[in-house]
Amino acid sequence: MTEKQSKLAILPLSRIRMIMKSSPDVGNISPDSCFLVTKATEGFIANLVRQALKTSSNKSRIDYSDLADVVQTIEHLDFLKDIIPPKIKGHKYLEILKQIEERERKIDLEDQDL
């Protein structure tokens, strides 16, 4: 990587390169491709932050809940739903777990009847 590319990037190019190398499908990584992935990632993060700021009640700061709301409402961010889920209280989570267990038990009973 050139020194100029390193200065133009906000995210550390070495970290992006390391993440890219962690994929078994990736062979050689050229400095230009690493730089492009880094800049694309920075653009994605900037867009995510802009969207969160639009919906935030505090226009000078975003919270986790702002990011989670954006991820839940914008369809093309569906892939982040498991990574940035909405915060819920413990008792609500336990209720959801009970509902899931009940559904699974019903499915198991139906499978046994077949």
Side-chain angles (χ1 to χ4, degrees):
M1 276 161 260
T2 67
E3 196 171 316
K4 183 178 180 182
Q5 286 178 336
S6 294
K7 289 180 181 178
L8 290 174
I10 297 169
L11 297 173
L13 294 171
S14 60
R15 287 287 173 105
I16 301 295
R17 184 177 197 73
M18 184 175 62
I19 292 168
M20 291 172 69
K21 280 187 169 186
S22 70
S23 174
D25 299 331
V26 175
N28 285 339
I29 302 168
S30 71
D32 289 339
S33 64
C34 183
F35 177 71
L36 288 174
V37 168
T38 301
K39 293 306 285 182
T41 304
E42 289 172 2
F44 174 77
I45 293 169
N47 183 45
L48 184 61
V49 169
R50 267 190 243 108
Q51 294 294 329
L53 273 172
K54 283 181 187 176
T55 61
S56 177
S57 58
N58 182 350
K59 298 300 179 187
S60 63
R61 175 182 130 185
I62 59 171
D63 292 323
Y64 178 88
S65 59
D66 299 324
L67 287 173
D69 291 344
V70 167
V71 168
Q72 298 301 314
T73 56
I74 298 178
E75 188 176 333
H76 69 270
L77 297 176
D78 281 349
F79 70 98
L80 291 174
K81 283 186 176 180
D82 291 338
I83 298 168
I84 308 175
K87 281 188 177 181
I88 58 174
K89 303 256 184 206
H91 66 87
K92 180 73 173 168
Y93 179 73
L94 292 175
E95 289 175 18
I96 293 170
L97 278 179
K98 285 180 186 176
Q99 291 172 355
I100 291 171
E101 289 172 357
E102 188 175 312
R103 273 190 240 131
E104 288 176 351
R105 194 175 25 159
K106 286 180 182 178
I107 291 170
D108 287 344
L109 288 174
E110 288 174 1
D111 288 346
Q112 288 175 358
D113 290 343
L114 294 177

